[in-house]
Amino acid sequence: MKKQNTYILGIESSCDDTAAAVIHNGRVLSNVVASQKIHEAYGGVVPELASRAHQQNIVPVVHQALRRANIDKKQLNAIAFTQGPGLMGSLLVGTSFAKSLAMGLDIPLIAVNHMQAHILAHFIENENQSKPEFPFIALTISGGHTQIVKVNNYFDMEVLGETIDDAVGEAFDKSAKILGLPYPGGPLIDKYAQLGNPKAFKFTKPKVGDLEFSFSGLKTAILYFIERETAKNPNFIEDHKNDICASIQHTIVDYLMDKLKNAVRITNIKQIAIGGGVSANSGIRTALKKAETTLGWTTYIPPFEYCTDNAAMIAIVGELKYKQNLFSEQDVIASARMKL
Ligand code: KG4
Ligand code: ZN
């Protein structure tokens, strides 16, 4: 009986966002994220600065999550935290904090894989959306990962293919950097892309295995293209910003859709769920919606706040594991390179 009325605190600190959330029976009561602005000046996440900022943020962020959920910490049934993958210094802050709190409250500790959490975020209760049915295909697209996963059950997932070099979020961010846009540039490319012509410029899509991704060649192609054009017209970027962004986004989204089509062909599964920061992208969201009518797919797109790094996704995995008694001991350690 006890397991049907649970309050789980989720803690996420794998990269540059310090986040805490409370979930009660699948519903989000609070979802707090402190994003670290300090990295903007460096054009990317500086690991040492990230772990220091987590140290500063973690106590106030957890406090705020409990306050917004309107519960006392004594009501919590378990603490779920991101064990990995991610930056070691960042992971250590959340891991140590979660362990101490669980020990202090004498409640179970639950280790969560960040990449599983991006996928299982689809199981957060949401009036506007149904949940995927097993088996389904998940495309996890973030700043650190690009994977196609066959999800057989909550904790039974197979990676069908992944990137052999950069992640798709990096491709967006590095392209943005070439255009002189601040970090993280993905959302800005998306913003300008919506005002431009996606067919204005053509970039070749990298050729690798059916379910593999490669983005480093695309970045180089964009760099050479910009160098060539600015040599002719120093204002080329300013004059064509929207068209350049629309063309880059179109190439990347088309490439992601090609891979999904391959996955559907190979597995015969037409249920597609996306997750990770890049699933906030308007291009991929539109392309997936269109595939519902043109290809007969059923697609699942999480609300924005559960796409980018957040702790609600950690807390929902915590709840799912809590129901199955999948607890961790106090000697559990953070793991920078955790597999699915
Ligand atoms: O999942 P996430 O918050 O952090 C990681 O685990 O990496 O993903 C962050 C990535 C960044 O590369 C960011 O530029 C990208 O997601 N991103 C976007 C958009 N919003 C975030 N990329 C393209 N279009 C967007 N709208
Ligand atoms: Zn992530």
Side-chain angles (χ1 to χ4, degrees):
M1 260 343 240
K2 159 182 141 237
K3 298 216 160 166
Q4 275 159 17
N5 192 20
T6 56
Y7 290 94
I8 310 286
L9 173 71
I11 294 174
E12 153 64 30
S13 73
S14 65
C15 190
D16 60 338
D17 293 308
T18 320
V22 177
I23 284 222
H24 177 230
N25 301 342
R27 286 186 190 281
V28 176
L29 298 186
S30 63
N31 186 27
V32 179
V33 184
S35 297
Q36 303 175 2
K37 294 279 165 228
I38 190 158
H39 307 287
E40 270 173 29
Y42 299 89
V45 176
V46 185
E48 172 69 22
L49 296 179
S51 47
R52 284 192 217 181
H54 283 306
Q55 287 274 13
Q56 286 179 319
N57 294 342
I58 191 114
V59 171
V61 163
V62 169
H63 261 147
Q64 203 166 43
L66 290 169
R67 210 179 54 224
R68 286 196 197 161
N70 204 16
I71 63 157
D72 187 85
K73 58 181 180 305
K74 294 199 180 72
Q75 288 173 264
L76 292 172
N77 296 86
I79 313 283
F81 70 97
T82 304
Q83 184 185 9
L87 301 170
M88 186 45 98
S90 294
L91 291 166
L92 283 174
V93 178
T95 304
S96 308
F97 185 88
K99 282 188 187 189
S100 318
L101 191 57
M103 187 185 256
L105 295 170
D106 196 20
I107 54 176
L109 179 67
I110 300 172
V112 174
N113 180 314
H114 181 92
M115 297 310 291
Q116 264 188 3
H118 270 305
I119 296 172
L120 297 176
H122 287 278
F123 293 92
I124 293 172
E125 290 295 336
N126 177 355
E127 286 83 42
N128 304 319
Q129 211 170 327
S130 56
K131 296 177 186 138
E133 281 161 32
F134 301 116
F136 64 91
I137 298 292
L139 175 70
T140 37
I141 39 180
S142 74
H145 301 270
T146 308
Q147 292 183 326
I148 294 191
V149 181
K150 181 167 171 251
V151 186
N152 300 315
N153 212 320
Y154 297 122
F155 303 111
D156 175 9
M157 304 185 184
E158 281 168 69
V159 178
L160 300 180
E162 57 194 330
T163 180
I164 59 165
D165 43 52
D166 291 349
V168 59
E170 270 179 289
F172 270 106
D173 296 339
K174 288 178 177 173
S175 306
K177 198 170 180 180
I178 295 170
L179 302 180
L181 299 172
Y183 176 85
L188 291 168
I189 296 219
D190 191 5
K191 181 177 144 197
Y192 296 121
Q194 292 175 50
L195 307 168
N197 171 8
K199 303 272 172 66
F201 307 106
K202 199 164 164 43
F203 302 105
T204 344
K205 289 187 271 183
K207 284 181 192 60
V208 282
D210 275 1
L211 299 174
E212 279 178 340
F213 302 83
S214 165
F215 291 101
S216 64
L218 180 65
K219 173 194 67 193
T220 316
I222 293 167
L223 178 67
Y224 288 161
F225 165 76
I226 294 294
E227 281 179 355
R228 213 166 46 237
E229 294 300 327
T230 43
K232 290 184 261 171
N233 168 12
N235 288 329
F236 179 75
I237 295 177
E238 263 321 299
D239 292 350
H240 301 279
K241 187 148 75 189
N242 298 342
D243 286 348
I244 301 169
C245 290
S247 303
I248 292 172
Q249 181 158 309
H250 175 71
T251 310
I252 295 177
V253 169
D254 233 33
Y255 188 57
L256 296 176
M257 290 301 290
D258 285 350
K259 300 295 171 176
L260 278 178
K261 285 175 198 162
N262 291 342
V264 170
R265 193 187 70 239
I266 292 164
T267 62
N268 213 14
I269 297 170
K270 287 188 171 186
Q271 285 214 88
I272 312 289
I274 56 167
V278 180
S279 43
N281 182 268
S282 66
I284 188 77
R285 293 170 96 90
T286 309
L288 281 174
K289 276 284 145 226
K290 195 166 149 218
E292 296 216 325
T293 40
T294 56
L295 302 170
W297 296 359
T298 309
T299 65
Y300 300 89
I301 305 173
F304 283 107
E305 63 269 34
Y306 308 140
C307 288
T308 46
D309 287 349
N310 67 89
M313 68 181 193
I314 305 302
I316 192 71
V317 180
E319 189 177 293
L320 293 166
K321 285 196 164 183
Y322 184 81
K323 287 182 184 152
Q324 298 187 29
N325 290 328
L326 296 171
F327 303 139
S328 299
E329 297 300 328
Q330 274 285 339
D331 62 357
V332 62
I333 51 168
S335 169
R337 297 187 174 279
M338 215 171 156
K339 292 265 173 230
L340 254 190

